[in-house]
Amino acid sequence: MSVAAQSVASAPRVRSGRWAPALAGALALLLVAAAAEIVLDGAAGHSALIPKSPAIAGWLSGVGERLGYRVFLIALLVSVGAYSGLLALARRRELSPISKRSAIALIGALHLIVFVGPILLSTDVFSYIAYARMGVEHGLNPYLHGPSSILGDPVYSYVGKDWKHVATAYGPFYTLLSYPLAPLGVTGALWGMKLEALLASVGTLALTWRCARAREIDPVWAILVVGANPLYVIYGLGGAHNDLIMLVAMMGAVSLTLVAPGSRGREAGAAGLIVAGALVKATMAALLPFMIVSRRRLAPILGALAMLVLGVVVGYAAFGIHGIDVVSALNRDAAFVSTDSFANEIAHLFGKPGVFPIDHDFLKAGLVLIVLHLLWRTWRGYDWIAAAGWSLLAISVTSTWLLAWYILWPLPLAAVSRDRRLLLATLAVQALFVMHQITPLLAPVS
Amino acid sequence: MSAAPSSGPGGFGTRLPVRFAPRDVELPGLGTMRLVETTVLVLVGLLLAVATVDDVVLETHVNQRLVADLRTWREYTGHDYKNLSVEQDLRGHTTRDVICGNTSPGPPKERTQLCLAMTGPVVAGRREARSGWYLPPKSEDLRGKRYGCFGVAKDEGLCSP
């Protein structure tokens, strides 16, 4: 093709590309506006979506109205639409619609807005604080007692009613990490938890960037996938969930294996970090077999064992045998059923009122088959990061207790995986979760 | 194409037959496995999508029924109370709902309560209240607490004898 012909052919592309940054800017503004609407309305006080909380966002109140389902769901749907559009645009690198600086500014704005606002959509953070206060202020073992054992404590009234009698299911490392916040009072601990979640998110995004670069994936696109995700921002960060701490450990481990592949020390460190993450939240243990199968060396096994021994010693010293009995905590939680779980929806589809014990067994069997298939594929050279992401997605889809922040687990892995299907599947599952929330918009009850 | 299996130096499983030996990178192959996986994924995705839409429709109908029930109770009693207790038959998946509320102004359940059992389709935003009963103040809707059954509830013996 001649130079003249090339310039003629590329001219429409250049012209058509001019709209891309403007459209990206408009979509970013929509994301920020939707998050701000939720936070400002949430700051107006307790509602069906905003848990009872100490007045940490009182200075924002008076601007919005009490957050109801209608406004929340519209804002959530707008966020999902804007996020999808932004990702689609960011994929087209030839249009250069979003610079590194713009992406960081957008994600920073979303994080800041949610950080300064109230706790959104979940009482879990008050359970975290209650367990910490049980151990530090009341000398009780949070692995043996539920928050109901500290009825007189100021945090008790904020704990979700379903969790008042439930002992902690989190790992000993997380419980110990939360202990320093206990003496700060409920408000101080709440800010501490929010700060922990914020820092964990920033760490996860930095590591996602690093992993994407190591894999020659556009890092701007990768951090947008994670950091601008509405469920990640509104549910994960908004609720200050400890899943974000698990995610930073997860991406730390992935980063160690990607940045210097073949380094035995780093592989041992990565396996150790996975175990450390599992001692925050047990789900992260799902990564370990995939990493070991992909490396097929002694170093990661030794790294994992070393961290496991450390975790058992620390957990036993701090909490006794119950602090390291992860299996019984997992079994207890696996029996819970949430209305948003796909298992529950499928039961309704087949005319059953809900999930029965036999269904739990079928789901576990299905999950085992999926994991075995993925392990075989990893053994035969499939990307272990993608395999681990699929297994996390399978855990959330087959779980009868599905919450929005559980479908965040595979997201950072999907952003840096070599299998694009994982990201599509993760986003599709998230979209179905959001779709399942919209009933109050279709038929409001008054 | 038959590439030799490879693994990291000192890796496990290098002595296994080629068919079972570990690999560092997948062989390009014919993509059959990927095709099967993608087909399964699409089918599972369709099942999840259908189940989600079905559940949204189900919940929407439940909410519409609930709105009609509340409206019917308020019109039947002439009280525009907001705090009414609702018990839907989620276990049996019938459309029979029981709505209870105070018969005179006061905090929820602090006065004598009138419970109406609603059945049938929503017609003009309301449902048929074919039966009901009363509950003493500060009582939950338990059979032993019910009295003054009327309509079908009386025939079915839903009140304590």
Side-chain angles (χ1 to χ4, degrees), chain A residues 29-64:
Chain A
L29 274 178
L30 274 179
L31 270 173
V32 170
E37 176 70 42
I38 290 171
V39 166
L40 288 174
D41 279 5
H46 170 57
S47 74
L49 295 161
I50 303 296
K52 271 198 300 178
S53 161
I56 59 166
W59 62 284
L60 289 173
S61 63
V63 184

Side-chain angles (χ1 to χ4, degrees), chain A residues 296 348 373 377 379-380 436, chain B residues 20-21 24 26 37 52 55:
Chain A
R296 301 185 300 280
H348 289 168
H373 171 72
R377 293 271 274 125
W379 180 256
R380 298 288 281 170
H436 195 245
Chain B
F20 301 106
D24 284 336
E26 276 189 300
E37 284 176 344
T52 303
D55 220 38

Side-chain angles (χ1 to χ4, degrees), chain A residues 52-191:
Chain A
K52 271 198 300 178
S53 161
I56 59 166
W59 62 284
L60 289 173
S61 63
V63 184
E65 294 176 355
R66 212 169 279 262
L67 187 64
Y69 280 106
R70 189 181 151 75
V71 168
F72 172 72
L73 289 170
I74 290 171
L76 185 63
L77 290 174
V78 165
S79 295
V80 169
Y83 170 74
S84 310
L86 208 58
L87 288 195
L89 263 181
R91 282 298 280 173
R92 301 181 64 183
R93 291 172 77 172
E94 75 277 8
L95 299 177
S96 346
I98 305 158
S99 65
K100 172 183 168 184
R101 192 173 292 179
S102 316
I104 292 172
L106 167 64
I107 293 168
L110 291 172
H111 277 56
L112 187 66
I113 289 167
V114 172
F115 178 72
V116 299
I119 292 295
L120 303 173
L121 304 158
S122 167
T123 58
D124 283 6
V125 70
F126 298 108
S127 293
Y128 308 160
I129 297 171
Y131 296 133
R133 290 184 64 80
M134 281 165 64
V136 176
E137 300 290 308
H138 303 276
L140 293 169
N141 187 340
Y143 290 90
L144 282 176
H145 306 281
S148 58
S149 58
I150 53 165
L151 281 170
D153 193 278
V155 76
Y156 177 74
S157 60
Y158 303 117
V159 176
K161 66 178 167 58
D162 294 337
W163 307 109
K164 288 188 190 283
H165 302 283
V166 181
T168 183
Y170 306 115
F173 280 8
Y174 178 71
T175 307
L176 289 173
L177 188 67
S178 66
Y179 270 20
L181 302 177
L184 303 177
V186 178
T187 305
L190 196 52
W191 278 115

Side-chain angles (χ1 to χ4, degrees), chain A residues 23-379:
Chain A
L23 182 57
L27 293 170
L29 274 178
L30 274 179
L31 270 173
V32 170
E37 176 70 42
I38 290 171
V39 166
L40 288 174
D41 279 5
H46 170 57
S47 74
L49 295 161
I50 303 296
K52 271 198 300 178
S53 161
I56 59 166
W59 62 284
L60 289 173
S61 63
V63 184
E65 294 176 355
R66 212 169 279 262
L67 187 64
Y69 280 106
R70 189 181 151 75
V71 168
F72 172 72
L73 289 170
I74 290 171
L76 185 63
L77 290 174
V78 165
S79 295
V80 169
Y83 170 74
S84 310
L86 208 58
L87 288 195
L89 263 181
R91 282 298 280 173
R92 301 181 64 183
R93 291 172 77 172
E94 75 277 8
L95 299 177
S96 346
I98 305 158
S99 65
K100 172 183 168 184
R101 192 173 292 179
S102 316
I104 292 172
L106 167 64
I107 293 168
L110 291 172
H111 277 56
L112 187 66
I113 289 167
V114 172
F115 178 72
V116 299
I119 292 295
L120 303 173
L121 304 158
S122 167
T123 58
D124 283 6
V125 70
F126 298 108
S127 293
Y128 308 160
I129 297 171
Y131 296 133
R133 290 184 64 80
M134 281 165 64
V136 176
E137 300 290 308
H138 303 276
L140 293 169
N141 187 340
Y143 290 90
L144 282 176
H145 306 281
S148 58
S149 58
I150 53 165
L151 281 170
D153 193 278
V155 76
Y156 177 74
S157 60
Y158 303 117
V159 176
K161 66 178 167 58
D162 294 337
W163 307 109
K164 288 188 190 283
H165 302 283
V166 181
T168 183
Y170 306 115
F173 280 8
Y174 178 71
T175 307
L176 289 173
L177 188 67
S178 66
Y179 270 20
L181 302 177
L184 303 177
V186 178
T187 305
L190 196 52
W191 278 115
M193 291 284 175
K194 279 173 79 73
L195 188 63
E196 268 184 12
L198 180 74
L199 294 176
S201 176
V202 170
T204 301
L205 292 168
L207 290 164
T208 303
W209 179 283
R210 197 171 181 220
C211 294
R213 280 184 67 167
R215 287 210 141 177
E216 295 176 353
I217 294 169
D218 180 8
V220 171
W221 181 79
I223 60 163
L224 280 174
V225 166
V226 182
N229 183 281
L231 295 191
Y232 183 88
V233 174
I234 303 296
Y235 286 85
L237 194 62
H241 286 283
N242 58 10
D243 300 68
L244 295 172
I245 297 172
M246 183 190 99
L247 292 186
V248 73
M250 180 173 85
M251 292 314 287
V254 171
S255 169
L256 279 174
T257 63
L258 286 182
V259 173
S263 158
R264 287 167 197 226
R266 281 175 182 257
E267 283 179 4
L273 203 47
I274 291 175
V275 174
L279 292 167
V280 168
K281 199 154 187 169
T283 320
M284 196 172 147
L287 271 77
L288 192 60
F290 296 103
M291 194 210 155
I292 288 174
V293 163
S294 77
R295 301 293 132 179
R296 301 185 300 280
R297 277 195 284 259
L298 203 55
I301 297 173
L302 292 177
L305 281 175
M307 185 58 78
L308 188 63
V309 169
L310 178 69
V312 167
V313 169
V314 169
Y316 186 78
F319 309 109
I321 192 71
H322 301 282
I324 52 175
D325 186 9
V326 182
V327 177
S328 65
L330 285 180
N331 277 338
R332 183 194 68 202
D333 287 6
F336 296 159
V337 178
S338 68
T339 53
D340 285 322
S341 71
F342 289 107
N344 202 44
E345 293 173 15
I346 292 170
H348 289 168
L349 181 66
F350 290 110
K352 290 167 65 178
V355 180
F356 288 85
I358 184 79
D359 301 322
H360 285 278
D361 296 334
F362 280 129
L363 290 164
K364 279 179 195 164
L367 183 60
V368 167
L369 285 178
I370 292 167
V371 169
L372 287 176
H373 171 72
L374 289 166
L375 281 171
W376 170 246
R377 293 271 274 125
T378 308
W379 180 256

Side-chain angles (χ1 to χ4, degrees), chain B:
Chain B
M1 182 178 149
S2 65
S6 67
S7 104
F12 307 139
T14 45
R15 291 183 185 175
L16 287 168
V18 175
R19 204 171 161 190
F20 301 106
R23 294 182 191 281
D24 284 336
V25 182
E26 276 189 300
L27 291 179
L30 297 171
T32 314
M33 176 67 82
R34 199 178 163 86
L35 183 65
V36 171
E37 284 176 344
T38 306
T39 307
V40 172
L41 277 173
V42 169
L43 291 175
V44 170
L46 278 174
L47 174 66
L48 298 183
V50 170
T52 303
V53 171
D54 173 75
D55 220 38
V56 170
V57 171
L58 189 74
E59 285 180 3
T60 304
H61 286 159
V62 168
N63 276 15
Q64 286 169 342
R65 218 171 70 207
L66 184 59
V67 171
D69 289 345
L70 295 171
R71 186 179 292 149
T72 306
W73 192 96
R74 287 169 188 143
E75 290 190 1
Y76 189 95
T77 61
H79 296 308
D80 192 21
Y81 296 155
K82 296 286 176 204
N83 284 314
L84 302 174
S85 67
V86 180
E87 193 180 318
Q88 296 193 304
D89 181 18
L90 296 174
R91 194 169 289 179
H93 266 227
T94 67
T95 61
R96 185 175 181 276
D97 303 332
V98 176
I99 314 291
C100 299
N102 289 341
T103 50
S104 58
K109 298 185 181 178
E110 290 293 310
R111 305 282 185 268
T112 298
Q113 299 166 69
L114 170 61
C115 298
L116 295 178
M118 319 271 183
T119 53
V122 176
V123 179
R126 287 157 199 80
R127 292 220 298 159
E128 194 179 359
R130 294 177 62 193
S131 64
W133 51 84
Y134 289 88
L135 294 173
K138 299 178 182 175
S139 299
E140 296 301 323
D141 183 19
L142 300 170
R143 190 190 180 98
K145 299 281 185 183
R146 295 171 185 165
Y147 67 94
C149 270
F150 55 90
V152 180
K154 188 176 180 183
D155 303 335
E156 290 176 348
L158 294 182
C159 283
S160 55

